[in-house]
Amino acid sequence: MATVTVDTAPIERLKETWEGKGGLWGWLTTVDHKKIGKLYLATSVVFLLIGGVEAGIMRAQLAWSNLRILSPGVYDQLFSLHGMTMIFWYASPILSGFSNYIWPLLIGSRDMAYPRANALSYWLFLMSGVFLYTSPFLGQAPNAGWFAYVPFTLKPFNPGLNMDFYALGLLFLTVSATVGSIVFIGTIMKMRATGMTLTRLPIFMYGTMTASFANLFALPALTTALVFLYFERTFHMPFYAVGGGGRPLLWQHLFWMFAHPWVYIIVLPAMGIVSEVIPVFSRRPLVGYPIVAMSTVATGIIGFGVWLHHMFATGLPNLSLAFFSGASTLIVIPSGIAVFSWIATMWTGRPVFKTAMLFAAGFVALFVLGGVSGVVTAMVAYDWQVTDSYFVVAHLHYVLIGINVFGVMTGFYYWFPKMTGRLLNETLGKLNFWVMFIGVNVAFFPMHITGILGMERRIYTYPAGLGWSVPNLITTIGAYIFAAGFFLFLVNVWYSLRAGEVAGPNPWDAGTLEWSVPSPAPAYNFAVLPTVRSGYPLWEGRLLRRGRPPAAAPSPALARTPDAVGARAPDMAPDGSLVFRGPLLLDGKETFATSPLDAEPMSVLRMPEDSLLPLLLSLFMLAFFYGAVFKLWWLVAAGAGAMLLTIVAWTWPRSMEGGSVA
Amino acid sequence: MSTTAAHAAVLPIGNRFRRSPGWWAMVWIIATEAALFAYLLFSYYYLASQFRGPWPPDGFESFTLSAPMTAILFASSGVMWWAERGIKKGNQMQLRIGLLITFLMGLAFAILEGIEWSQKSFTPASHAYGALFFTVTGFHLTHVTVGLTMNLVVQIWAWMGTFTEERHLAVTNAALYWHFVDTVWAFVFFSFYIAPRIG
């Protein structure tokens, strides 16, 4: 451990400045990225459990032929809620949770850009979930699957409030995702430590940044589709109905223009997590860092040009099928680069198989399996055979569990000590991994076969004698094994929070900045703002000894900031990063804003104090959406007016040293 | 303490410049809003290409109101630019007057659009064209309203004397948003009023 000789007075002052209020009020008003991150993580896990229970009930219904545990109508609502919950209210928000907690620590900042907007994105996420889950209590949950094809979702065929909850619930969530994305992009552009150029940026940052940009340009397609759906259902405006000149395929185009990029939005940050973890447990830097960074961005971009592969069976012209089949196959290249980079990192390193590394390795294995079933469905001829069958269900679960859930588990085992100060138990952890890994394969591998045998997705039961019963029973058993595995994780969290081994600042001997601060991270994150000269600041000394010099050049900004507290870390290069020396910035909640490319300090930011406004704004938006779903137009108007006033109060100029900031 | 004093001497405090975090937030809001209009207009052209019969079904849109509306809106962008230039030079009056004129011009656009709407022979439920016309121009009008609200709030601050030569990010952002609203109108106007005549 570094022997840090510190004058404690500045630390006390930082604590005073940055620590928000405790208790419930503190949580409701917090703008601290670490608290917001924890709220995001906890809420997403709750949604994961809800979605899991829904899946468990469905698997009971499908365990054998001709079962009648559920009525068809209830089954429809269950699979729709399951899909929406997992894809929208778990998979993306949980990654936002990690990004929120970890990013400022990873990039040497004291907070995210726009802390209040950051809190807003969480409260909007929570409220949109509350909105969606009002519907099952009315018996009118969405009932047309997560992609809700028209015309079945139009009023004449689906007269209840079910699909209004779908349209407005998702619309609500897109607001949260948009706000969150702008916060992430602002943070990555302006909040990085001095010297953290784009070539020193951790891959996790690239993952979430690509996902955030994709959100900005993909979510509006969903917004358009949902607004049309709601308008058509409510005001009879013919966007989709053929009678008035609408076209049902418009929905599919808009939906998949959004939803295919969304697939990468919910996996790229998880791929980033794994790209952080594999080098640490292979005891070497990531192999091929620049091309992994580039393929991350490339995946995000190509993801916008493949949406038609979800529509191969809709009778589109052959030429467009050929083009989109080719484009979809192209995704193999950046994905392959990432996979080979992870394998090469393990191969040329000295792998240490802690639980986090096991989950990362499992992630790679499942990614390959899910990837292969994805490549074959990019082939038009094969897709026609398996479209809307359980083969597709198997593929998407391999992908989403493999490269989302396993990435998330990797992140939990890796960063839990940073968040709580204690390590998750390794014995329970290994058991946790193996039960989940066996469970996911037992559950979803047979689904490929049920699909090839012709079982369509979304049927609530099936007759005997088709050969579907046995594979379905195996799937059900596997699903419960998987659930038991996740339960072990919850047990581990519960146990380790109380009795886990105390972690210390850097239990994994990792190389990135978040491990230079105490665990759990203090409210102000960094006592002194670090200056970075390589991608692994804490590994520089030993990398130098191994003949891999980190790029080291004295920074002009550093010359301007001679003041320091603390000492150099023991394992740092002489001209390398400065992690325990640097500017204090303690005249208020201060941190640097740096330039987007070179990360040179441009100004000192004064971050806002805790505020109730984000929560209030979210509550008003909840009222607005309840008004819209129940057609209470006065409530819509009142909600909108209250939101407007809140925003005015929010943006009201704060007075600052040397004038007011507007 | 001396350390922080040294910083304050070197680096400015807060969201002071263009390319500060607050400015970038507005840029990305505009980017995602621009994407929204791109998808709306994609839907318009898609349904137009699939429509059986003449497009628009009730004949071409008239320029009687729409041409002056467009002229007013584009001109208002110039006034907004003039207002922002005022505060850059520290001229409070130029800022206040400029914002006020921009506001009135935007309001005139909204009122004319309301008259234009009331004169339509079709409703949103008549056909796909009607649905698109009212939705897309309605989305644009909503953005005009948001821009006007921003203008109003910034104007209140301007009359309070909040802004200085150096600190006026809210003015810059409101102006940026207003230019965006005007630019989008160019695409909307072309799509509904001109494209069917030349298509």
Side-chain angles (χ1 to χ4, degrees), chain A residues 578-608:
Chain A
L578 288 172
V579 177
F580 299 108
R581 276 158 48 112
L584 268 165
L585 297 192
L586 36 65
D587 287 349
K589 290 180 91 172
E590 291 184 332
T591 192
F592 279 139
T594 48
S595 59
L597 296 177
D598 311 325
E600 291 298 333
M602 290 179 76
S603 61
V604 173
L605 293 181
R606 294 264 168 87
M607 307 313 268

CSV table of all heavy atoms in Angstrom, one decimal, chain A residues 578-608:
chain,number,residue,atom,x,y,z
A,578,LEU,N,0.6,10.9,-12.4
A,578,LEU,CA,0.6,11.4,-11.0
A,578,LEU,C,-0.8,11.1,-10.4
A,578,LEU,O,-1.8,11.7,-10.7
A,578,LEU,CB,0.9,12.9,-11.0
A,578,LEU,CG,2.3,13.3,-11.3
A,578,LEU,CD1,2.4,14.8,-11.4
A,578,LEU,CD2,3.2,12.8,-10.3
A,579,VAL,N,-0.8,10.1,-9.5
A,579,VAL,CA,-2.1,9.7,-8.9
A,579,VAL,C,-2.2,10.2,-7.5
A,579,VAL,O,-3.4,10.6,-7.1
A,579,VAL,CB,-2.2,8.2,-8.9
A,579,VAL,CG1,-3.5,7.7,-8.3
A,579,VAL,CG2,-2.1,7.7,-10.4
A,580,PHE,N,-1.2,10.3,-6.8
A,580,PHE,CA,-1.3,10.8,-5.4
A,580,PHE,C,-0.8,12.2,-5.2
A,580,PHE,O,-0.6,12.7,-4.1
A,580,PHE,CB,-0.6,9.8,-4.4
A,580,PHE,CG,-1.3,8.4,-4.5
A,580,PHE,CD1,-0.6,7.4,-5.1
A,580,PHE,CD2,-2.5,8.2,-4.0
A,580,PHE,CE1,-1.2,6.1,-5.2
A,580,PHE,CE2,-3.1,7.0,-4.1
A,580,PHE,CZ,-2.4,5.9,-4.7
A,581,ARG,N,-0.4,12.9,-6.3
A,581,ARG,CA,0.0,14.3,-6.2
A,581,ARG,C,-0.9,15.0,-7.2
A,581,ARG,O,-1.1,14.4,-8.3
A,581,ARG,CB,1.4,14.4,-6.6
A,581,ARG,CG,2.4,14.2,-5.6
A,581,ARG,CD,3.8,13.9,-6.2
A,581,ARG,NE,4.1,14.8,-7.3
A,581,ARG,CZ,5.1,15.7,-7.2
A,581,ARG,NH1,5.8,15.8,-6.2
A,581,ARG,NH2,5.3,16.5,-8.2
A,582,GLY,N,-1.2,16.2,-6.9
A,582,GLY,CA,-2.0,16.9,-7.9
A,582,GLY,C,-2.8,18.0,-7.2
A,582,GLY,O,-2.7,18.2,-6.0
A,583,PRO,N,-3.6,18.7,-8.0
A,583,PRO,CA,-4.4,19.9,-7.5
A,583,PRO,C,-5.5,19.4,-6.6
A,583,PRO,O,-6.1,18.3,-6.8
A,583,PRO,CB,-5.0,20.5,-8.8
A,583,PRO,CG,-4.8,19.5,-9.8
A,583,PRO,CD,-3.7,18.6,-9.5
A,584,LEU,N,-5.8,20.2,-5.5
A,584,LEU,CA,-6.8,19.8,-4.5
A,584,LEU,C,-8.2,20.3,-4.9
A,584,LEU,O,-9.1,19.6,-4.7
A,584,LEU,CB,-6.4,20.5,-3.2
A,584,LEU,CG,-5.5,19.7,-2.2
A,584,LEU,CD1,-5.0,20.7,-1.2
A,584,LEU,CD2,-6.4,18.6,-1.6
A,585,LEU,N,-8.2,21.5,-5.4
A,585,LEU,CA,-9.5,22.1,-5.8
A,585,LEU,C,-10.5,21.9,-4.6
A,585,LEU,O,-11.4,21.1,-4.7
A,585,LEU,CB,-10.1,21.5,-7.0
A,585,LEU,CG,-9.3,21.7,-8.3
A,585,LEU,CD1,-10.2,21.2,-9.5
A,585,LEU,CD2,-8.9,23.1,-8.5
A,586,LEU,N,-10.5,22.8,-3.6
A,586,LEU,CA,-11.4,22.6,-2.5
A,586,LEU,C,-12.1,23.9,-2.1
A,586,LEU,O,-12.6,24.0,-1.0
A,586,LEU,CB,-10.8,21.9,-1.3
A,586,LEU,CG,-9.4,22.2,-0.9
A,586,LEU,CD1,-9.2,23.6,-0.5
A,586,LEU,CD2,-8.9,21.2,0.1
A,587,ASP,N,-12.3,24.8,-3.1
A,587,ASP,CA,-13.2,26.0,-2.8
A,587,ASP,C,-14.6,25.7,-3.2
A,587,ASP,O,-15.2,26.4,-4.0
A,587,ASP,CB,-12.7,27.2,-3.6
A,587,ASP,CG,-11.4,27.8,-3.0
A,587,ASP,OD1,-11.0,27.3,-1.9
A,587,ASP,OD2,-10.7,28.6,-3.7
A,588,GLY,N,-15.2,24.7,-2.7
A,588,GLY,CA,-16.5,24.3,-3.1
A,588,GLY,C,-16.4,22.9,-3.8
A,588,GLY,O,-15.4,22.3,-3.9
A,589,LYS,N,-17.6,22.5,-4.4
A,589,LYS,CA,-17.6,21.2,-5.1
A,589,LYS,C,-17.0,21.4,-6.4
A,589,LYS,O,-17.7,21.5,-7.4
A,589,LYS,CB,-19.1,20.7,-5.2
A,589,LYS,CG,-19.7,20.3,-3.9
A,589,LYS,CD,-21.1,19.8,-4.1
A,589,LYS,CE,-21.2,18.3,-4.4
A,589,LYS,NZ,-22.6,17.8,-4.4
A,590,GLU,N,-15.6,21.3,-6.4
A,590,GLU,CA,-14.9,21.6,-7.7
A,590,GLU,C,-14.3,20.4,-8.3
A,590,GLU,O,-13.8,19.5,-7.6
A,590,GLU,CB,-13.8,22.6,-7.4
A,590,GLU,CG,-14.4,24.0,-7.0
A,590,GLU,CD,-13.3,25.0,-6.8
A,590,GLU,OE1,-12.1,24.6,-6.4
A,590,GLU,OE2,-13.5,26.2,-7.0
A,591,THR,N,-14.3,20.4,-9.6
A,591,THR,CA,-13.5,19.5,-10.4
A,591,THR,C,-13.1,20.1,-11.7
A,591,THR,O,-13.6,21.2,-12.1
A,591,THR,CB,-14.3,18.1,-10.5
A,591,THR,OG1,-13.4,17.1,-11.0
A,591,THR,CG2,-15.5,18.3,-11.5
A,592,PHE,N,-12.2,19.4,-12.5
A,592,PHE,CA,-11.8,20.0,-13.7
A,592,PHE,C,-12.8,19.7,-14.9
A,592,PHE,O,-13.4,18.6,-14.9
A,592,PHE,CB,-10.5,19.4,-14.2
A,592,PHE,CG,-9.3,20.1,-13.5
A,592,PHE,CD1,-8.2,19.3,-13.1
A,592,PHE,CD2,-9.2,21.5,-13.3
A,592,PHE,CE1,-7.1,19.9,-12.5
A,592,PHE,CE2,-8.1,22.0,-12.7
A,592,PHE,CZ,-7.1,21.2,-12.3
A,593,ALA,N,-13.0,20.7,-15.8
A,593,ALA,CA,-13.5,20.3,-17.1
A,593,ALA,C,-12.3,20.3,-18.0
A,593,ALA,O,-11.5,21.3,-18.0
A,593,ALA,CB,-14.5,21.4,-17.5
A,594,THR,N,-12.2,19.2,-18.8
A,594,THR,CA,-11.0,19.1,-19.7
A,594,THR,C,-11.4,19.1,-21.1
A,594,THR,O,-12.6,19.0,-21.4
A,594,THR,CB,-10.2,17.8,-19.4
A,594,THR,OG1,-11.2,16.7,-19.3
A,594,THR,CG2,-9.5,17.9,-18.0
A,595,SER,N,-10.5,19.2,-22.0
A,595,SER,CA,-10.8,19.3,-23.4
A,595,SER,C,-11.1,17.9,-24.0
A,595,SER,O,-10.6,16.9,-23.5
A,595,SER,CB,-9.6,19.9,-24.2
A,595,SER,OG,-8.5,19.2,-24.0
A,596,PRO,N,-12.0,17.8,-25.0
A,596,PRO,CA,-12.5,16.5,-25.4
A,596,PRO,C,-11.4,15.6,-26.0
A,596,PRO,O,-11.5,14.4,-25.8
A,596,PRO,CB,-13.5,16.9,-26.5
A,596,PRO,CG,-13.9,18.3,-26.3
A,596,PRO,CD,-12.7,18.9,-25.7
A,597,LEU,N,-10.4,16.1,-26.7
A,597,LEU,CA,-9.5,15.1,-27.3
A,597,LEU,C,-8.3,14.9,-26.4
A,597,LEU,O,-7.9,13.8,-26.0
A,597,LEU,CB,-9.1,15.6,-28.7
A,597,LEU,CG,-10.2,15.7,-29.7
A,597,LEU,CD1,-9.6,16.3,-31.0
A,597,LEU,CD2,-10.8,14.3,-30.0
A,598,ASP,N,-7.6,16.0,-26.0
A,598,ASP,CA,-6.3,15.9,-25.3
A,598,ASP,C,-6.5,15.8,-23.8
A,598,ASP,O,-5.5,15.6,-23.1
A,598,ASP,CB,-5.4,17.1,-25.6
A,598,ASP,CG,-5.3,17.3,-27.1
A,598,ASP,OD1,-5.3,16.3,-27.8
A,598,ASP,OD2,-5.2,18.5,-27.5
A,599,ALA,N,-7.7,16.1,-23.3
A,599,ALA,CA,-7.9,16.1,-21.9
A,599,ALA,C,-7.0,17.1,-21.1
A,599,ALA,O,-6.4,16.7,-20.2
A,599,ALA,CB,-7.9,14.7,-21.3
A,600,GLU,N,-6.9,18.3,-21.6
A,600,GLU,CA,-6.2,19.3,-20.9
A,600,GLU,C,-7.2,20.1,-20.1
A,600,GLU,O,-8.3,20.4,-20.7
A,600,GLU,CB,-5.4,20.2,-21.9
A,600,GLU,CG,-4.2,19.6,-22.5
A,600,GLU,CD,-3.1,19.1,-21.6
A,600,GLU,OE1,-3.0,19.7,-20.5
A,600,GLU,OE2,-2.4,18.2,-21.9
A,601,PRO,N,-6.9,20.5,-18.9
A,601,PRO,CA,-7.9,21.3,-18.1
A,601,PRO,C,-8.3,22.6,-18.8
A,601,PRO,O,-7.4,23.3,-19.3
A,601,PRO,CB,-7.2,21.6,-16.8
A,601,PRO,CG,-6.1,20.6,-16.7
A,601,PRO,CD,-5.7,20.3,-18.1
A,602,MET,N,-9.6,22.9,-18.9
A,602,MET,CA,-10.0,24.1,-19.5
A,602,MET,C,-10.7,25.0,-18.5
A,602,MET,O,-10.6,26.2,-18.6
A,602,MET,CB,-11.0,23.8,-20.6
A,602,MET,CG,-10.4,23.1,-21.8
A,602,MET,SD,-11.7,22.8,-23.1
A,602,MET,CE,-11.9,24.4,-23.8
A,603,SER,N,-11.4,24.4,-17.6
A,603,SER,CA,-12.0,25.3,-16.5
A,603,SER,C,-12.2,24.5,-15.3
A,603,SER,O,-12.1,23.2,-15.3
A,603,SER,CB,-13.3,25.9,-17.0
A,603,SER,OG,-14.2,24.9,-17.3
A,604,VAL,N,-12.5,25.2,-14.2
A,604,VAL,CA,-12.9,24.5,-12.9
A,604,VAL,C,-14.4,24.5,-12.8
A,604,VAL,O,-15.0,25.6,-12.9
A,604,VAL,CB,-12.2,25.2,-11.7
A,604,VAL,CG1,-12.7,24.6,-10.4
A,604,VAL,CG2,-10.7,25.1,-11.8
A,605,LEU,N,-15.0,23.4,-12.7
A,605,LEU,CA,-16.5,23.3,-12.6
A,605,LEU,C,-16.9,23.3,-11.1
A,605,LEU,O,-16.2,22.7,-10.3
A,605,LEU,CB,-17.0,22.1,-13.2
A,605,LEU,CG,-16.8,21.9,-14.7
A,605,LEU,CD1,-17.4,20.6,-15.2
A,605,LEU,CD2,-17.5,23.1,-15.4
A,606,ARG,N,-18.0,24.1,-10.8
A,606,ARG,CA,-18.6,24.0,-9.5
A,606,ARG,C,-19.8,23.1,-9.7
A,606,ARG,O,-20.8,23.5,-10.4
A,606,ARG,CB,-19.0,25.4,-9.1
A,606,ARG,CG,-17.8,26.3,-8.8
A,606,ARG,CD,-17.5,26.4,-7.4
A,606,ARG,NE,-16.2,27.0,-7.2
A,606,ARG,CZ,-16.1,28.3,-7.0
A,606,ARG,NH1,-17.1,29.1,-7.0
A,606,ARG,NH2,-14.9,28.9,-6.8
A,607,MET,N,-19.8,22.0,-9.0
A,607,MET,CA,-20.9,21.0,-9.2
A,607,MET,C,-22.1,21.4,-8.3
A,607,MET,O,-21.9,22.0,-7.2
A,607,MET,CB,-20.4,19.6,-8.9
A,607,MET,CG,-19.2,19.2,-9.7
A,607,MET,SD,-19.3,19.6,-11.4
A,607,MET,CE,-20.0,18.1,-12.1
A,608,PRO,N,-23.3,21.1,-8.7
A,608,PRO,CA,-24.5,21.5,-7.9
A,608,PRO,C,-24.6,20.7,-6.6
A,608,PRO,O,-24.1,19.6,-6.5
A,608,PRO,CB,-25.6,21.2,-8.9
A,608,PRO,CG,-25.1,20.2,-9.8
A,608,PRO,CD,-23.7,20.4,-9.9
